[in-house]
C-alpha cells in the first residue's frame, strides 16, 4: 500500500512539474472537420452560422486518460457576403463544392468580418481545464480566386487540480503546500488562413501568454508554465472523377521543447453527401475517419484512433465524434463551401 501511495505522489508531482515539457492543449483527430478549433482566422468563413459540438475520449480503458469536449460557433458579418456571396449556391445546394466545375466558377469571397466563440473542456486525471475564447477575423480577396483571413482569439482558461483525487505519502510536502489549485488565467491566440477553391494553408498560435500553473514556489525545479503552441496546416484537392475528390492535408505541431510532430490526413469526398478518410500521427496513432452530410441542417463526423505508442498495451484506442449544425443556411447548402 505504501509503495502504491508513493507511486501516486510521484505521478502527480511529475505531471505538475513537467507540464511545460509536453503538449498542453488538447489534440484532435477530427480537426479536418473543424479547423476553426485551431485557427481563429476561420471565424465567419462560411455563408451560414456554423455550430459544432465535439467529444473525444482518448486512450479508452486507461484510468485518468484525457477526455475533451467542446462547443464552437462562428458566423460571418457583412451584407455583400451573407446575402450575395459569389460562391453561394442557389436554394437547394446547386454545384457540388468538391467538383471541378465548382473550382472553375469559383470567385473570391466578398470582404467581410467573422465572429465566434469556442468553449473547450479537457480533463486528464485530477487536472481539468476549461478555455473560453471569443474570436474575430477579417476576410479579404487578394485575387479573383484567393482569399486571406486574419484572426485573433482572446479569453481565459480555468485550471483546476482536484486535490481529492491526490493521495500523498507526506501531507506536509512543501510542493503541495504551495499549490494554487484553482486558477483563472488570460488566454490569447492568433491565426492567418489563405484559401482558394482547391487548396488552403494556415498558420496559428495558441497560448501566446505564458502562465504559471498550480505551483507557486519560487524553486525553479518545480516551476511550470504554459508555452505557445504553433500549428501549420495545408491541403489541396485532387479530382479522381466528377463524383469523387481526394483531399490530402498535413498538420505540423511545434511546441517547445518537445520535438515537432505532425498529422497526415487523407480524405475521399463523395460529392457533397459523405466522406471517408485515414490519418497518421507521428509516434502516436493511425486513425479512420468518416462523415455524412445528413441535410442542410446537420452533419456528423466520427474517428477512431489505433494507438501505436507504448500505451497500446493498456488502451483500446481513441473515439472522437463531432456534430455540426448549419444555422441561417439561406442557400440550403449541405456541406462547407470555403473549407474542406
Amino acid at each position: 500500500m505504501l509503495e502504491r501511495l508513493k507511486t501516486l505522489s510521484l505521478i502527480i508531482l511529475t505531471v505538475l512539474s513537467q507540464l511545460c515539457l509536453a503538449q498542453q492543449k488538447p489534440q484532435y483527430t477530427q480537426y479536418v472537420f473543424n479547423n476553426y478549433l485551431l485557427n481563429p482566422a476561420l471565424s465567419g468563413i462560411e455563408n451560414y452560422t456554423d455550430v459544432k459540438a465535439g467529444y473525444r475520449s482518448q486512450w479508452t480503458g486507461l484510468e485518468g486518460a484525457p477526455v475533451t469536449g467542446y462547443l464552437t460557433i462562428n458566423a460571418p458579418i457583412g451584407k455583400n457576403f451573407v446575402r450575395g456571396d459569389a460562391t453561394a449556391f442557389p436554394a437547394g445546394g446547386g454545384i457540388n463544392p468538391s467538383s471541378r466545375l465548382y473550382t472553375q466558377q469559383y470567385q473570391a469571397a466578398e470582404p467581410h468580418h467573422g465572429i465566434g466563440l469556442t468553449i473547450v473542456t479537457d480533463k486528464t486525471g485530477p487536472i481539468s481545464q476549461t478555455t473560453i475564447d471569443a474570436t474575430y477575423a477579417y476576410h479579404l480577396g487578394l485575387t479573383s480566386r484567393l482569399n486571406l483571413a486574419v484572426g485573433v482569439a482572446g479569453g481565459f482558461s480555468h485550471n483546476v487540480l482536484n486535490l481529492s483525487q491526490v493521495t500523498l505519502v507526506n501531507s506536509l510536502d512543501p510542493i503541495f503546500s504551495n499549490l494554487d489549485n484553482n486558477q483563472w488565467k488570460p488566454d490569447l491566440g492568433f491565426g492567418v488562413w489563405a484559401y482558394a477553391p482547391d487548396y488552403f494553408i494556415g498558420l496559428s498560435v495558441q497560448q501566446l501568454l505564458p502562465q504559471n500553473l498550480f505551483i507557486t514556489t519560487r524553486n525553479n525545479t518545480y516551476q511550470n508554465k504554459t508555452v505557445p503552441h504553433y500549428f501549420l496546416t495545408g491541403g489541396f484537392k485532387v479530382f479522381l472523377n466528377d463524383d469523387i475528390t481526394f483531399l490530402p492535408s498535413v498538420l505540423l505541431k511545434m511546441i517547445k521543447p518537445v520535438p515537432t510532430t505532425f498529422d497526415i490526413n487523407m480524405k475521399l469526398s463523395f460529392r457533397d453527401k459523405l466522406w471517408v478518410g485515414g490519418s497518421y500521427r507521428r509516434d502516436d496513432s493511425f486513425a479512420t475517419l468518416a462523415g455524412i452530410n445528413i441535410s442542410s441542417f446537420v452533419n456528423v463526423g466520427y474517428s477512431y484512433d489505433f494507438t501505436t505508442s507504448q500505451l497500446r498495451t493498456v488502451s483500446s484506442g481513441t473515439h472522437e465524434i463531432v456534430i455540426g449544425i448549419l444555422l441561417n443556411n439561406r442557400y440550403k447548402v449541405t456541406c462547407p463551401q470555403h473549407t474542406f
Side-chain angles (χ1 to χ4, degrees):
M1 182 63 177
L2 182 61
E3 288 300 318
R4 184 167 179 264
L5 291 176
K6 288 181 179 179
T7 300
L8 286 171
S9 297
L10 179 61
I11 291 172
I12 299 303
L13 279 171
T14 300
V15 170
L16 294 177
S17 61
Q18 300 298 320
L19 272 173
C20 62
L21 300 180
Q23 177 165 321
Q24 299 163 341
K25 304 291 286 185
Q27 63 182 4
Y28 310 95
T29 301
Q30 287 279 9
Y31 79 89
V32 294
F33 194 41
N34 191 11
N35 269 293
Y36 172 60
L37 268 173
L38 303 180
N39 195 324
L42 279 88
S43 304
I45 194 171
E46 298 295 347
N47 195 270
Y48 50 81
T49 299
D50 186 17
V51 180
K52 286 190 172 67
Y55 176 81
R56 177 180 175 88
S57 177
Q58 190 164 320
W59 304 325
T60 303
L62 179 62
E63 185 177 356
V67 175
T68 305
Y70 68 80
L71 175 68
T72 67
I73 179 171
N74 69 90
I77 299 176
K79 277 187 178 180
N80 290 339
F81 177 71
V82 174
R83 299 185 180 179
D85 177 18
T87 59
F89 296 165
I95 305 170
N96 166 28
S98 294
S99 68
R100 289 189 182 92
L101 182 58
Y102 172 81
T103 61
Q104 293 169 357
Q105 297 183 354
Y106 182 92
Q107 294 182 28
E110 288 284 345
H112 65 280
H113 307 271
I115 57 173
L117 180 72
T118 66
I119 303 173
V120 180
T121 64
D122 186 58
K123 187 177 188 304
T124 304
I127 298 175
S128 62
Q129 180 185 68
T130 299
T131 303
I132 302 176
D133 283 321
T135 66
Y136 166 80
Y138 183 70
H139 299 254
L140 179 68
L142 296 181
T143 71
S144 61
R145 295 174 61 81
L146 177 63
N147 305 268
L148 178 68
V150 179
V152 63
F156 56 85
S157 64
H158 184 209
N159 308 287
V160 176
L161 171 63
N162 188 346
L163 295 177
S164 67
Q165 297 181 18
V166 180
T167 306
L168 303 177
V169 174
N170 178 11
S171 61
L172 299 179
D173 191 310
I175 297 301
F176 287 90
S177 64
N178 285 282
L179 286 178
D180 181 3
N181 67 309
N182 194 321
Q183 302 174 317
W184 294 87
K185 298 289 185 178
D187 188 52
L188 183 65
F190 176 79
V192 294
W193 190 264
Y195 57 102
D198 49 5
Y199 68 89
F200 69 87
I201 184 169
L203 175 65
S204 63
V205 57
Q206 296 181 341
Q207 290 190 166
L208 265 174
L209 305 174
Q211 302 290 323
N212 288 325
L213 290 181
F214 302 124
I215 299 174
T216 59
T217 177
R218 294 183 180 180
N219 185 340
N220 289 330
T221 303
Y222 297 111
Q223 275 194 348
N224 59 307
K225 288 187 175 182
T226 62
V227 295
H229 288 41
Y230 295 91
F231 303 94
L232 176 63
T233 185
F236 58 93
K237 295 179 181 178
V238 178
F239 302 105
L240 302 184
N241 59 42
D242 289 338
D243 295 319
I244 302 175
T245 307
F246 179 51
L247 305 124
S249 62
V250 63
L251 171 68
L252 269 66
K253 292 176 278 191
M254 296 154 280
I255 309 163
K256 290 185 178 181
V258 300
T260 297
T261 186
F262 58 83
D263 291 23
I264 297 175
N265 293 276
M266 293 169 289
K267 175 179 170 183
L268 283 175
S269 175
F270 299 88
R271 294 187 59 81
D272 55 352
K273 303 303 180 185
L274 59 91
W275 55 269
V276 296
S279 176
Y280 168 72
R281 179 174 296 122
R282 180 187 180 189
D283 299 329
D284 183 68
S285 64
F286 289 94
T288 58
L289 306 89
I292 182 170
N293 304 312
I294 298 173
S295 69
S296 61
F297 179 70
V298 63
N299 48 44
V300 179
Y302 171 78
S303 64
Y304 180 80
D305 295 19
F306 300 87
T307 306
T308 58
S309 68
Q310 294 300 318
L311 288 171
R312 67 181 181 275
T313 59
V314 293
S315 165
S316 58
T318 298
H319 299 271
E320 186 174 338
I321 187 168
V322 183
I323 298 175
I325 304 295
L326 290 65
L327 299 178
N328 301 321
N329 187 4
R330 61 187 290 121
Y331 295 102
K332 304 300 180 183
V333 298
T334 56
C335 70
Q337 314 302 295
H338 298 282
T339 57
F340 52 92

